[in-house]
Every structure is written in C-alpha cells, then in structure tokens.
Amino acid sequence: MRNIKLVLQYDGTNFCGYELQPGKRSVRGEIEKALHKLFKIKTRIIGVSRTDSGVHAIAQVVNFKTTNQIPTKRIPAALNSCLKDDIRILGAEEKGKEFNSRYAAKSKEYEYLIFNGAIIPPSVRRVAWHIKYKLDLAAMKEAAKILVGKHDFSSFCASRSDDKNFVKRIYKLSIKKRKLAVFSGEKIDLVSVRVKGDGFLYKMVRNMVGTLMEVGLGNKITSDIKNILYGRNRRLAGRTAPSHGLCLIKVHY
C-alpha cells in the first residue's frame, strides 16, 4: 500500500469549502472524484486544513493510500486532467505508511488580505476584504501582539465548532502593507494580516482579523483585546471577516 502526499492550490470562490457537504461542490469531493476516475476505485483523502466556503489555498496538503502503481511524478498531471481549472495539483510525493497530512503538521500559516480605500479594483475583489474607512495599522499591530503566544482562544471560535481543546499557540501575527501585482504589472496596495500557529479553531483567523479591524477603525482599543481573550466568550469579540480574503499559504512539517 502506497501513501501519497499531494500539494494543491485552489480558488475557493466556487467551493462550499474543503469538507464534503451533500449536494455541494467541495475541494475534497473534487479530488476524490478525480482519484476515482483515475484509479477506478473509491479513494479517501485526508487534508491538513478544512478550509471554509470561499477560502483559498496555495499550499493545501492532503494524503491518500493506494495500491495503484502509477509513477508518483505522473500523478499531478493525471489528476489535473480530471479537474476543473480552479483547482490544481502542484506536486506529489510518496511518504511512509504512517504519514498523516493533518496530524503530522507542526504549524500552518494563513494570510488575510484587506483593500483599504474608497474603490476596490475589480482585480482583487475575490481575494481581499474591502474596508473603505482608513485603518490605524499601528493600533492593529499593538493589539495583535496580545494574541501571540499560548492562549485559550474560545472568544475567537465560531459556534457550531466541534473543537474540544481551545488552547492554541500563535507563533507569529504580523500586519503590514504589501503590493499585489496584477495586470500589466500594476501593483495594488493591500493590508496583509499573516498568522502562523500550531492549530486553529473554527473560523478563528477570520474572527481575529474582524476583531483587529475593529481596533483599526477605532471601535475597540488595544486593552479590549486582552479582555476579549481572557473573557472566553465569542460575543465579546468583533465580527467574522469575510471568507474570500483568507488563504492557506504554508504548512510546516
């Protein structure tokens, strides 16, 4: 039995998310259908992150087991021929039989993009949250420092979560301006919120971004973040940032 690791990238716009949902198009569903078409047998994949509806990924990692002897280097092209163009297999690697993409991961990194200005360019509307009013990035950076470290993040976990352990460690949470190159080399100014942690609760990153945005708009102050964190109550935190601004960018093993 072979254990194959895949690295994939997708535009989450037209997916209900990573996980299977009856009657809806999911990332897992599309990959498993492609594997069935390729191998002629039902194959289950395990993913490192169950991204929400609309969330993107440039480095999602999954693994599956198979007895098929197709050369590993041919798997990406073979699967891509069975997939629509909003999802691509970037690479394949044969791993040891015990490898599990979810449980072997040491940390994950996400990036959230915000366009802060009056009129959002159409070229970034599917990957960035549009905030019209000027954000105080210095205040957001100070507030973000409070969230770094090992904490109970109950206040940033959405309802309907099946999480049992709300303690997670955030290794890095940076907020900075960055430029995104689009058509004809045009570069658009965006605000990047990048977070690296050992694990994340349901909608945790989006709830953190939504709360930090409230600080940036002056609706909350830095000290409020500490009260929210230690209050362990989702109602204390800010809004949930829209899904389309979020992207899984790296998994560390």
Side-chain angles (χ1 to χ4, degrees), residues 6 43 45 73 86 105 120 122 137 148 151 153 228 240 246:
L6 300 177
T43 304
I45 64 170
K73 65 181 181 181
D86 56 357
I120 185 170
L137 296 188
V148 176
H151 305 289
F153 284 95
I228 292 168
T240 301
L246 184 62

Side-chain angles (χ1 to χ4, degrees), residues 10-251:
Y10 49 86
D11 175 344
T13 304
N14 295 320
F15 289 101
C16 69
Y18 168 82
E19 197 51 83
L20 299 175
Q21 291 191 44
K24 296 184 178 181
R25 184 170 182 252
S26 69
V27 174
R28 178 182 164 188
E30 293 300 291
I31 298 296
E32 290 186 349
K33 282 193 293 185
L35 286 168
H36 186 270
K37 186 175 182 179
L38 184 62
F39 296 151
K40 312 302 182 187
I41 189 172
K42 187 174 182 180
T43 304
R44 177 178 177 269
I45 64 170
I46 298 170
V48 68
S49 176
R50 294 177 291 176
T51 52
D52 298 332
S53 174
V55 174
H56 316 291
I58 61 172
Q60 171 73 284
V61 180
V62 305
N63 71 287
F64 66 91
K65 294 184 178 180
T66 182
T67 57
N68 192 286
Q69 293 305 306
I70 181 174
T72 305
K73 65 181 181 181
R74 288 180 51 197
I75 292 177
L79 285 175
N80 286 337
S81 69
C82 303
L83 293 163
K84 292 185 178 180
D85 59 8
D86 56 357
I87 181 169
R88 294 288 90 180
I89 309 300
L90 303 182
E93 178 185 358
E94 188 160 348
K95 304 292 287 185
K97 64 179 182 179
E98 300 302 323
F99 175 79
N100 179 298
S101 62
R102 182 179 179 186
Y103 295 116
K106 301 298 183 184
S107 62
K108 293 180 282 188
E109 288 187 60
Y110 290 88
E111 183 174 34
Y112 197 97
L113 297 179
I114 298 169
F115 178 80
N116 190 203
I119 303 172
I120 185 170
S123 54
V124 298
R125 66 182 177 82
R126 292 170 67 162
V127 297
W129 185 13
H130 185 196
I131 301 295
K132 295 181 180 180
Y133 302 104
K134 185 174 177 58
L135 293 171
D136 184 341
L137 296 188
M140 292 174 68
K141 290 177 183 179
E142 283 301 310
K145 292 177 183 178
I146 297 170
L147 299 174
V148 176
K150 188 176 182 180
H151 305 289
D152 183 320
F153 284 95
S154 301
S155 292
F156 299 96
C157 182
S159 60
R160 296 182 289 107
S161 169
D162 59 1
D163 291 290
K164 300 296 189 293
N165 180 12
F166 297 96
V167 176
K168 303 295 177 184
R169 183 181 295 277
I170 298 299
Y171 298 113
K172 178 178 67 176
L173 178 50
S174 64
I175 300 172
K176 61 183 180 182
K177 290 185 178 180
R178 60 165 286 193
K179 292 183 180 293
L180 183 68
V182 290
F183 305 110
S184 300
E186 178 191 6
K187 293 184 178 180
I188 296 174
D189 290 319
L190 297 171
V191 175
S192 164
V193 181
R194 188 159 173 168
V195 57
K196 177 181 179 182
D198 63 0
F200 296 92
L201 304 169
Y202 182 42
K203 296 186 180 179
M204 175 175 160
V205 176
R206 290 166 58 193
N207 290 334
M208 290 166 62
V209 171
T211 304
L212 291 172
M213 186 276 299
E214 295 287 353
V215 174
L217 292 175
N219 298 328
K220 296 184 185 299
I221 60 176
T222 301
S223 60
D224 289 333
I225 302 302
K226 185 174 293 186
N227 295 332
I228 292 168
L229 184 63
Y230 298 143
R232 300 178 184 178
N233 186 332
R234 173 68 187 96
R235 289 176 292 181
L236 297 174
R239 73 185 80 175
T240 301
S243 60
H244 67 276
L246 184 62
C247 184
L248 172 64
I249 59 172
K250 196 168 185 178
V251 182

